[in-house]
Amino acid sequence: MKGGWQPTKTAIFMKTIIKTINPENIDMDIIEEFGKMLADGKTVIFPTETVYGLGANALDENAASKIYEAKGRPSDNPLLVHVSDIDDVETLVEEVDEKARLLMEKFWPGPLTILFNKKDVIPSRTSGGLSTVAIRMPSDEVARKLIRASKVPIAAPSANISGKPSPTKAEHIIKDMDGRVDGILLGKDCDFGVESTIIDLSGEYPMVLRPGCITLEMLREVLGKVEIDPSLSSMADNIKAKAPGMKYKHYSPNAEVYIVSGENDKRIKKINELIKVNSEKGLKTAVLCMKMNSSKYNCMTFDLGNSYEEVAHNLFGALIKLDELGIDIAYAESFEEKGVGVAIMNRLKKSAAYRIIET
Ligand code: TXA
Ligand code: MG
């Protein structure tokens, strides 16, 4: 069960400076120290309200290259750029149009990333060779203070080894990243737990390229018609994902994950049948489920919470735990594709390689 795709993990041995910061009482000496590391072209992992980011100076090609190396990330996958102030955007992009301005006013700082046509200051190493750049302003105070202290925009993808679930807790970072980056700034668990929503405003109508906690419904309230990139609803190769990162295998634990859909009682019955078959084969099984169901399965369960917001917050932590516990097969209850449920199902389908058992 344990085979399959593995990320490239080149050997990097760096001395990593690791510090913990209290978000309730932010130590500005630590912020200045890590801000200077970023200004000097070094790599720093830091918390945001979505997931932890692996940051470097977005304007410095060499610094951006170190991010790809640390993550084992394909070089055509562009980096997302973080700013600490709305005014910084104009220095990086050709134009901020009316729709972008409306979104920035309504959702920034926060988990919404907007695509813009980039200015030449953004090197092609950062934009993955594209003429556009993805920008967001995080609401997390530690993140914003750190970016401000660095005095540069910060390119930061999620701080996981490429292909693995994104880290949402301090404990997720050290195992994979100690020795691969210059600095790690540990803070609290990330509030939202799934990466930012990405929106492209360049087409006939706005298009969501990656669903997140700023939901389609919230975006439609501000912009009217907004659609979701059709490539997200299938794994068909003939529909090209507009966010290059969405085409790669993603969020994949070593365990084989299956989504089980259908009416609640039927789903519980089906999963319990599968658990029995697996246990006869000596396979270690777990179930990812809503709290109300967590006592109904005859195996280890990961209680994802009572609400979809809680499920989003807990999902990546549960996927990471599957591997720590050596689980062979995991069944995940399906969620309604409404509100944050769209983002949850997008991440779950990818981690399950689109295997869905219908009951
Ligand atoms: O919440 C987040 O967005 C986190 C935190 C750290 O801010 N960051 C994050 O970055 O998720 P990353 O690199 O893991 O995902 C960024 C996604 C990738 O799928 C990438 O392909 C896409 O954004 N992207 C970046 N620049 C793009 C561009 N110019 N056009 C289309 N897609 C782009
Ligand atoms: Mg990522």
Side-chain angles (χ1 to χ4, degrees), residues 93-112:
V93 311
E94 287 295 338
E95 193 203 345
V96 179
D97 70 10
E98 190 49 32
K99 282 184 187 145
R101 192 156 298 286
L102 277 172
L103 292 176
M104 285 153 71
E105 273 165 19
K106 176 85 182 169
F107 298 112
W108 281 14
L112 179 71

Side-chain angles (χ1 to χ4, degrees), residues 71 73 157-160 164 166 195 210 250-251:
K71 276 182 64 90
R73 183 177 175 104
S158 47
N160 49 292
K164 291 288 166 191
S166 302
E195 306 88 341
R210 180 175 70 184
H250 244 97
Y251 314 117

Side-chain angles (χ1 to χ4, degrees), residues 46 48 50-54 71 73 76-80 82 111 113 115-116 126-127 130 132-134 136 156-160 166 194-198 209-210 242-246 250:
F46 60 95
T48 84
T50 56
V51 301
Y52 274 80
L54 195 173
K71 276 182 64 90
R73 183 177 175 104
D76 67 341
N77 191 0
L79 304 173
L80 200 155
H82 298 68
T113 297
L115 294 195
F116 297 93
T126 297
S127 69
L130 298 176
T132 50
V133 60
R136 87 177 189 95
S158 47
N160 49 292
S166 302
V194 292
E195 306 88 341
S196 60
T197 306
I198 303 179
L209 307 190
R210 180 175 70 184
K242 292 224 177 95
M246 300 305 276
H250 244 97

